[in-house]
Amino acid sequence: MKVMLASEVTKKVFNKDALFILDVRNEDAFADWKIEGENFEYLNVPYFDLLDGVEGIMDQLPKGKDILVVCAKEGSSIMVAEMLYEAGLDVAYLQGGMKAWSEHLEPVKVGDLKDGGEIYQFVRIGKGCLSYMVISNGEAAIIDATRMKDIFLDFAKEKGVEIKHVFDTHLHADHISGGRHIAEATGATYWLPPKDAEEVQFDYEKLEGGNDVTIGHTTINIHALYSPGHTIGSTSFVVDEKFLLTGDILFIDSIGRPDLAGLADDWVGDLRETLYSRYKELSEELVVLPAHFMIIEELNDDGSVSEKLGTLFAKNHGLNIEDEEEFRNLVSKNLPPQPNAYQEIRKTNMGKITPNEEEQREMEIGPNRCAVR
C-alpha cells in the first residue's frame, strides 16, 4: 500500500494526469468540495458503508489505473486502502487527507522582472488561493499570504532574500491571512488598505493609492491602484509595469463578489467602476494575477493562473455586461453560498479573535467562494 502526498497529487493536476479517486467522506462533504483534476475520475462511498468490507465496490474500481483513497484527515482512508490492498488492488491513500490538501502550496515562477527580479505565484491548489512573492536584489515582498507562513519563510531563505514588505490587497473573508505574522517574524512592514482596517486590533502601514514601494536596489515599484468593489478597501498592484495583481476584484473566469461584508447593494457601483473604468485605463498587455481561482480549467499548462488584461476584457463575461441593471443583478443576486465561517475568518484577520491552529483549519475547510457565479 502506498502513500501519496498532496504535492504529488498537485503535480498530477498540473500535468493533467489520469487518477481515480475513491472519496470516503460523507456525500454532502464530497458534493461541497473535492480534489479536482481535468482527467480525474471519482467514486464517493462513505466510510461507514465500507465497514463490513469493500466487496460491494470492487466492480466500480478500475483495473490498471492509479487509485487514491481520500478522507477528511487520513484515518478512514488508511483503513479502506488496506482493505483494497488486501483484495489485490494497487492503491494509495492521501497523507493528511483533505486537511493536507487544503493547506498545500505549490510555488510557480510566473515571470521575470527588470534587472534580474522574479515573481512567484504560490498556488493553494485545494483552496483556490493564490499568493505572490516579488524578489529583487536580495529583497522580497509578499502579497496575500496564507496562514501557512513557514512556506513563505522557507522559500525566501532558499532564494537567499530578506522579506521587507508584506501586503494584503484587502481584508480576506475566505481564508486566514499570514501577512501580519510573517511581518512579525521577519521585521517586515505590513501593509493593509485603511478602509478595510477600521476595526483591526494591530498596527499596520496604510496602503493607499499613490504608494510606491521599492523592493531591492533595482527599481521594482509596487504601485497601489485603489480598486474598491469586493471590499471597500480592495487595492490592486501594478508590479514592474508588467503584472496586475487584482486581489479578489477580477479573476480569470469571473469577477469578485461584493457581499461578504453585507453591503452588496452599496458596493456594486464601486465594483463596476473599478472593472469598467479604472481597469480600462490600464495597459491591456498587463498580465492579470488574481488572488484566487475558481475552477481547475483556469490553470495554465505550468500550473500558474494568469492572463493578459486585454484577453479578459474580450472573454470574461463579467467584463462585458453593458446594461448596468443586468450587472447589478449578476453581482448581487447570482451568488454562491457564503464561505465557510467567513465572519470568524474576518474577525481573525482583524485581530479580534485568536483561534488555535486546529480551529483555524476547521474554519478554512471547503472551497473559496469569492467570485460571482
Side-chain angles (χ1 to χ4, degrees):
M1 186 175 68
K2 301 173 187 172
V3 180
M4 196 175 289
L5 304 177
S7 58
E8 296 175 274
V9 181
T10 300
K11 288 289 191 290
K12 288 182 178 293
V13 175
F14 285 7
N15 296 334
K16 297 180 172 59
D17 293 338
L19 180 65
F20 190 94
I21 295 177
L22 172 60
D23 194 314
V24 298
R25 293 175 298 149
N26 289 335
E27 292 174 3
D28 57 344
F30 175 76
D32 184 53
W33 179 50
K34 66 178 184 290
I35 296 174
E36 294 190 53
E38 283 193 29
N39 292 306
F40 289 5
E41 298 176 75
Y42 307 91
L43 176 63
N44 173 220
V45 182
Y47 167 71
F48 291 107
D49 293 349
L50 300 171
L51 288 176
D52 294 332
V54 294
E55 294 78 11
I57 64 167
M58 291 298 288
D59 61 347
Q60 299 178 66
L61 300 174
K63 305 293 188 289
K65 280 188 180 179
D66 288 339
I67 299 175
L68 178 66
V69 186
V70 174
C71 68
K73 300 177 183 178
E74 90 168 22
S76 300
S77 62
I78 291 175
M79 297 180 71
V80 173
E82 283 177 345
M83 288 190 282
L84 292 171
Y85 179 74
E86 290 170 1
L89 289 182
D90 187 16
V91 299
Y93 69 89
L94 177 63
Q95 186 178 80
M98 291 298 287
K99 285 196 173 181
W101 183 244
S102 171
E103 295 182 350
H104 179 67
L105 286 168
E106 190 74 24
V108 181
K109 182 178 175 181
V110 292
D112 291 310
L113 306 172
K114 298 185 196 110
D115 301 314
E118 299 174 314
I119 183 166
Y120 288 85
Q121 183 180 70
F122 291 75
V123 182
R124 190 175 177 184
I125 187 71
K127 184 79 177 162
C129 302
L130 300 167
S131 307
Y132 297 90
M133 186 181 292
V134 178
I135 291 174
S136 174
N137 272 12
E139 294 186 353
I142 298 174
I143 299 100
D144 288 332
T146 63
R147 63 180 169 78
M148 286 75 74
K149 69 178 190 299
D150 288 348
I151 292 170
F152 301 97
L153 298 176
D154 291 346
F155 192 81
K157 186 176 180 181
E158 177 188 321
K159 292 293 179 182
V161 297
E162 183 181 358
I163 298 168
K164 303 292 284 187
H165 297 276
V166 185
F167 302 86
D168 271 317
T169 55
H170 61 290
L171 188 79
H172 295 281
D174 78 304
H175 71 274
I176 295 166
S177 168
R180 175 165 52 105
H181 303 293
I182 291 172
E184 289 171 355
T186 61
T189 303
Y190 178 52
W191 299 79
L192 194 62
K195 289 189 177 182
D196 276 1
E198 291 176 354
E199 298 181 59
V200 303
Q201 309 293 302
F202 49 81
D203 294 330
Y204 68 97
E205 287 296 317
K206 294 181 179 180
L207 180 60
E208 297 176 300
N211 288 135
D212 283 355
V213 182
T214 303
I215 308 300
H217 303 306
T218 55
T219 307
I220 294 182
N221 294 311
I222 300 179
H223 306 297
L225 175 76
Y226 181 53
S227 50
H230 176 69
T231 67
I232 197 59
S234 288
T235 301
S236 307
F237 304 109
V238 178
V239 177
D240 205 32
E241 310 302 335
K242 188 174 181 181
F243 297 96
L244 173 62
L245 277 72
T246 57
D248 283 352
I249 287 287
L250 175 62
F251 307 115
I252 303 303
D253 195 52
S254 186
I255 58 175
R257 61 189 294 174
D259 69 308
L260 294 184
L263 296 168
D265 289 336
D266 295 343
W267 291 355
V268 65
D270 290 317
L271 180 63
R272 184 174 178 88
E273 184 178 351
T274 293
L275 294 173
Y276 285 65
S277 298
R278 289 186 177 93
Y279 279 9
K280 274 288 190 183
E281 295 171 1
L282 301 174
S283 167
E284 291 194 345
E285 293 301 306
L286 286 172
V287 176
V288 170
L289 298 174
H292 287 95
F293 67 93
M294 307 303 128
I295 55 176
I296 210 70
E297 287 77 17
E298 292 178 52
L299 269 62
N300 298 323
D301 288 342
D302 63 356
S304 67
V305 179
S306 66
E307 185 56 87
K308 283 190 176 181
L309 182 59
T311 302
L312 296 188
F313 273 122
K315 294 184 176 180
N316 186 319
H317 174 64
L319 296 178
N320 288 281
I321 303 171
E322 291 186 17
D323 184 77
E324 287 194 30
E325 192 60 33
E326 183 183 344
F327 181 87
R328 180 175 289 275
N329 287 335
L330 173 75
V331 300
S332 61
K333 296 184 172 64
N334 188 29
L335 296 169
Q338 303 277 20
N340 186 48
Y342 79 102
Q343 292 287 20
E344 288 78 12
I345 290 173
R346 292 181 79 244
K347 288 177 183 176
T348 303
N349 287 336
M350 291 176 190
K352 288 185 171 183
I353 59 174
T354 310
N356 64 37
E357 187 172 354
E358 189 57 34
E359 288 169 337
Q360 291 182 46
R361 281 183 175 144
E362 289 297 330
M363 286 160 62
E364 288 192 336
I365 286 295
N368 84 76
R369 297 190 175 105
C370 287
V372 173
R373 276 179 175 159

